[in-house]
Amino acid sequence: QIHQLAAQNGFELTMMVVGESGLGKSTLINSLFLADIYENGEYGKPGQRMPQTMEICRSTVKLEESGVELALTLVDTPGYGNAIDNSKCWSMILEEVDRAYEHYLDAESRINRTRIVDTRIHCCLYFLAPTGRGLKPLDIEFMKHLQHKVNIIPVIAKADTMTVEETQRQKKRVCEDLEKHEIRVYSFPMTDDDDDEDDATTDPQNLVPFAICSSTHELSVDGKAAFVRQYPWGIAEVENPSHSDFCQLRDLVIRTHLHHLITHTHEVLYEHYRSSKMQEMLPKSGNLQ
Amino acid sequence: QLVNKAMKRGFDFNILCIGETGIGKSTLMDSLFKREFGDQVHTHSEANVTVEKTKVALEEGGVNLRLTVVHSVGFGDQLDKDAKATEIISYIDQQYQQYLSEELKTDRNMVDLDDSRIHVCLYFIPPTGRSLKALDVAVLKELQHKVNIVPIIAKADTITPEELQRFKRQIRGEFAENEIEVFGLHDEDIQDDDPALGLPFSVIGSRETVIVNGETIRVRQYPWGLVEIENEEHSEFCKLREMLLRTHMERLRSRTHQKTYEAYRKAQMVEMGFADN
Ligand SMILES: Nc1nc2c(ncn2[C@@H]2O[C@H](COP(=O)(O)OP(=O)(O)OP(=O)(O)O)[C@@H](O)[C@H]2O)c(=O)[nH]1
Ligand SMILES: Nc1nc2c(ncn2[C@@H]2O[C@H](COP(=O)(O)OP(=O)(O)O)[C@@H](O)[C@H]2O)c(=O)[nH]1
Ligand SMILES: [Mg+2]
């Protein structure tokens, strides 16, 4: 039913990218953008140099997927980790997440409610460095602060810098570290439409953390335009599943699990925020009596 | 006679590698010296920055080398990196101190002394295509007058040729801006056509080998291509090896003795209250 309603009004999804500086967050956002615009028949601009991101920046792109409209808002954030003392660097991101919740709570609590513009972050791609050594203390700290606030999807950035073996090893290490430090990331439920297929191979959970490669450099490969990273020894294609999990990730986020990401944010994460906000207000009202 | 004896004994060459965990320090050393040092694998969870060293004897171009490779461990992993590189610096100083104590002895034997002073510090810059981090600048500033710094761009197979050129320019600009003295770049003894002027070299390391035309080569194998670390179009690994082990080894050693060690010695002597008349 919700689905049908949304089919008329369209979906709104807000995705944020977070991670150390220089891991390719802005590049990914741009390739998501361009790739999708391109799918709708428009050409993106050829690759340009990506400047360092200095402030949080939102941009929205309208997509249409089998008759359903999707307003996809991408939130680019400045990378961190370059300073000497990085122990407080998550506060800016946390504030951004909270601000949206606060805005929603405020709008929801009004007496005269109008249609609420939903700016809440529905999913957060957390970028991990391709070091082959699992999580860094910075990542652990960051995800610990974010885990109850937002759906975290961990991704290993710059996957074109790891061999197949190294990628598998890093994925395993990351999973082990997440478990060890009791960090909860978004778990992809199985969707109805793939139950006729073999579970093990289609379970998206097996892909977590996604190893992705991104680029805004466009080149014609086999007669088709593709986003690539061009090295003297070969060409890594962003949308080639044997080079990177980019396509699967995009598919999961903006198609198969779109609805679940949104409802989980609304029903679990936002509710959690709301009830703790309410609790905070309780002692005050108690004093009044 | 003396020369022969020295030749036979070989000489000491000590390399210090500083770089983040997983940036490829151990792999590069294995590739440079074509052997397995068997370094321990560290994760990002070290509470402090420490050093770890391995010593081997080897022959390089007909000369016996007593090589010591010292690695930083846990560099750049802490949330608050304020303690920076105190352990690293104190390691460097300790080696100078050892040499100095021998030199000050009445009955000294400099010939048979194991010279453990660091002759070159390879500073691994991550291939972000961005700029140096605050930590890099702070540490390099502190190290620059203590050792010969040879900066390199690690894991260079992760950066395209255009990105690399821009990145090199960026880094050199930052060295100049922050007045960081780097071997080769700001060294007054270096000639106009010196290969060291091409620093920081972009290097790739690997333990994986394949056989091409009967020759064993070190490679990194990706689904979309084969990176050959000794291929000049792929990386400047060969340039680095030439420089460290052939063309500039002597210069690195003598500069250590005449400049960085001398500066240490002078400071210590002054501190101990010595004065020239
Ligand atoms: N090897 C490799 N390089 C990449 C990839 N994606 C981006 N890069 C390069 O990495 C550099 C940084 O990319 P950005 O997208 O600006 O990184 P960012 O995470 O937004 O950086 P900040 O804005 O500083 O946080 C650029 O030179 C990109 O070309 C990738 O998948 N593989
Ligand atoms: N892409 C790329 N990976 C590398 C390179 N050198 C090493 N690696 C990989 O990076 C990881 C860490 O390497 P290692 O030498 O142990 O790093 P260390 O902690 O600095 O000593 C390993 O998985 C290596 O295979 C390189 O030049 N390019
Ligand atoms: Mg950015």
Side-chain angles (χ1 to χ4, degrees):
Chain A
Q1 314 78 332
I2 300 177
H3 208 279
Q4 242 152 34
L5 201 69
Q8 288 154 27
N9 295 336
F11 283 106
E12 281 173 336
L13 180 85
T14 304
M15 181 170 96
M16 179 161 75
V17 292
V18 174
E20 256 186 281
S21 190
L23 286 181
K25 300 182 291 297
S26 307
T27 311
L28 176 83
I29 282 198
N30 276 278
S31 47
L32 265 175
F33 251 125
L34 295 173
D36 285 284
I37 290 167
Y38 170 68
E39 260 179 22
N40 294 347
E42 280 173 50
Y43 271 92
K45 271 180 272 166
Q48 290 167 329
R49 173 158 152 79
M50 202 65 62
Q52 186 158 357
T53 312
M54 302 311 268
E55 56 186 20
I56 295 181
C57 152
R58 283 178 180 251
S59 36
T60 304
V61 57
K62 289 235 189 313
L63 309 172
E64 206 186 300
E65 197 57 50
S66 46
V68 184
E69 269 192 21
L70 168 65
L72 176 64
T73 302
L74 298 149
V75 186
D76 195 1
T77 65
Y80 47 79
N82 281 352
I84 299 270
D85 184 358
N86 298 295
S87 36
K88 279 283 170 289
C89 60
W90 56 82
S91 58
M92 182 198 216
I93 306 291
L94 221 57
E95 275 164 25
E96 178 73 13
V97 173
D98 276 345
R99 193 161 37 238
Y101 281 146
E102 207 178 297
H103 173 82
Y104 196 89
L105 182 59
D106 184 54
E108 195 194 48
S109 320
R110 274 171 201 279
I111 303 184
N112 296 309
R113 292 200 285 203
T114 47
R115 203 181 96 81
I116 304 172
V117 181
D118 190 1
T119 55
R120 292 171 301 181
I121 313 288
H122 301 108
C123 80
C124 166
L125 295 188
Y126 191 91
F127 281 60
L128 300 166
T131 59
R133 297 283 196 261
L135 300 181
K136 297 189 184 188
L138 192 58
D139 301 325
I140 295 167
E141 202 63 31
F142 217 109
M143 287 194 269
K144 283 205 161 155
H145 281 85
L146 280 175
Q147 59 181 345
H148 300 300
K149 295 265 179 182
V150 62
N151 292 314
I152 301 176
I153 302 178
V155 300
I156 302 171
K158 301 191 173 182
D160 57 327
T161 67
M162 296 181 293
T163 62
V164 176
E165 224 173 277
E166 285 169 347
T167 307
Q168 289 317 320
R169 201 164 46 207
Q170 174 74 339
K171 281 193 175 192
K172 199 163 142 261
R173 285 223 168 104
V174 168
C175 289
E176 286 166 2
D177 282 355
L178 287 172
E179 203 166 316
K180 189 164 106 200
H181 296 279
E182 293 173 342
I183 294 167
R184 279 198 52 136
V185 297
Y186 179 68
S187 76
F188 287 87
M190 294 291 280
T191 50
D192 312 336
D193 27 313
D194 18 76
D195 48 20
D196 46 296
E197 283 165 73
D198 186 7
D199 282 0
T201 52
T202 55
D203 187 353
Q205 200 58 39
N206 291 339
L207 286 170
V208 178
F210 297 86
I212 57 165
C213 157
S214 47
S215 172
T216 50
H217 178 59
E218 216 173 1
L219 199 78
S220 164
V221 177
D222 298 332
K224 276 204 323 210
F227 289 101
V228 299
R229 286 193 54 87
Q230 195 169 14
Y231 294 110
W233 50 87
I235 292 172
E237 295 163 49
V238 171
E239 295 176 82
N240 183 332
S242 62
H243 298 180
S244 116
D245 299 335
F246 178 87
C247 279
Q248 289 102 313
L249 177 66
R250 186 179 55 193
D251 218 54
L252 289 167
V253 172
I254 70 171
R255 292 192 187 93
T256 55
H257 287 69
L258 172 70
H259 189 231
H260 187 261
L261 282 165
I262 295 173
T263 49
H264 191 255
T265 304
H266 184 65
E267 288 165 10
V268 180
L269 302 168
Y270 170 66
E271 276 313 309
H272 178 80
Y273 169 85
R274 183 176 171 276
S275 73
S276 57
K277 262 275 149 28
M278 293 298 192
Q279 226 128 62
E280 257 174 49
M281 276 148 47
L282 268 184
K284 273 194 219 140
S285 54
N287 282 346
L288 281 179
Q289 285 172 357
Chain B
Q1 243 43 13
L2 222 90
V3 174
N4 266 341
K5 195 179 160 211
M7 282 295 278
K8 205 145 140 213
R9 188 171 182 274
F11 44 86
D12 296 291
F13 191 60
N14 307 316
I15 303 181
L16 168 65
C17 296
I18 302 183
E20 291 167 21
T21 308
I23 199 163
K25 301 182 291 294
S26 309
T27 314
L28 187 74
M29 287 303 116
D30 284 8
S31 314
L32 268 180
F33 298 103
K34 300 195 172 70
R35 59 169 58 223
E36 300 268 326
F37 286 96
D39 291 340
Q40 211 185 318
V41 171
H42 296 275
T43 60
H44 295 293
S45 52
E46 303 285 328
N48 290 305
V49 181
T50 51
V51 296
E52 210 173 71
K53 79 176 180 186
T54 336
K55 226 173 147 168
V56 294
L58 53 88
E59 204 196 284
E60 193 49 59
V63 185
N64 293 322
L65 263 193
R66 275 169 299 149
L67 176 77
T68 306
V69 178
V70 184
H71 287 273
S72 66
V73 175
F75 186 73
D77 278 338
Q78 296 73 26
L79 273 182
D80 184 353
K81 307 170 191 166
D82 202 22
K84 280 181 234 153
T86 37
E87 283 275 333
I88 302 175
I89 306 242
S90 78
Y91 178 87
I92 298 170
D93 281 346
Q94 271 163 30
Q95 315 315 312
Y96 284 146
Q97 186 57 45
Q98 257 175 37
Y99 194 90
L100 182 60
S101 349
E102 183 69 29
E103 206 185 55
L104 292 177
K105 279 186 193 163
T106 322
D107 206 2
R108 64 184 185 184
N109 180 354
M110 302 313 285
V111 180
D112 290 325
L113 177 72
D114 272 335
D115 182 3
S116 59
R117 295 171 301 178
I118 297 295
H119 298 115
V120 57
C121 164
L122 290 181
Y123 195 90
F124 290 64
I125 300 168
T128 56
R130 281 270 179 265
S131 54
L132 294 175
K133 300 184 184 186
L135 179 70
D136 297 324
V137 174
V139 169
L140 287 172
K141 272 196 160 205
E142 215 167 331
L143 283 177
Q144 60 177 339
H145 302 302
K146 290 206 167 284
V147 280
N148 293 315
I149 296 168
V150 169
I152 52 180
I153 297 169
K155 294 193 174 179
D157 55 335
T158 65
I159 185 165
T160 62
E162 303 88 66
E163 285 170 343
L164 179 66
Q165 289 321 315
R166 205 155 43 204
F167 192 40
K168 275 196 177 192
R169 269 203 306 279
Q170 168 74 23
I171 290 175
R172 285 155 178 261
E174 283 181 63
F175 282 152
E177 201 178 302
N178 294 294
E179 295 176 336
I180 293 169
E181 191 183 319
V182 162
F183 184 77
L185 288 187
H186 308 292
D187 201 321
E188 63 278 11
D189 315 332
I190 278 180
Q191 309 280 309
D192 282 349
D193 56 347
D194 195 298
L197 286 169
L199 286 169
F201 292 144
S202 62
V203 298
I204 304 175
S206 177
R207 295 189 176 102
E208 196 186 333
T209 53
V210 294
I211 297 176
V212 175
N213 303 330
E215 240 187 293
T216 309
I217 53 172
R218 289 186 179 246
V219 296
R220 287 186 52 86
Q221 233 163 340
Y222 291 116
W224 55 89
L226 189 72
V227 188
E228 300 163 21
I229 72 169
E230 300 192 32
N231 183 329
E232 310 229 320
E233 275 169 35
H234 297 182
S235 95
E236 294 173 313
F237 172 82
C238 287
K239 279 195 193 164
L240 179 71
R241 192 178 56 199
E242 277 295 301
M243 176 178 159
L244 284 185
L245 304 181
R246 311 231 156 74
T247 52
H248 288 64
M249 185 187 258
E250 208 33 57
R251 184 113 117 251
L252 288 164
R253 282 163 43 83
S254 66
R255 195 172 181 275
T256 301
H257 188 65
Q258 286 160 14
K259 213 163 168 178
T260 56
Y261 167 67
E262 206 50 40
Y264 176 86
R265 178 179 172 276
K266 188 171 158 194
Q268 289 298 309
M269 302 288 273
V270 169
E271 203 170 290
M272 286 188 281
F274 287 98
D276 295 333
N277 303 323

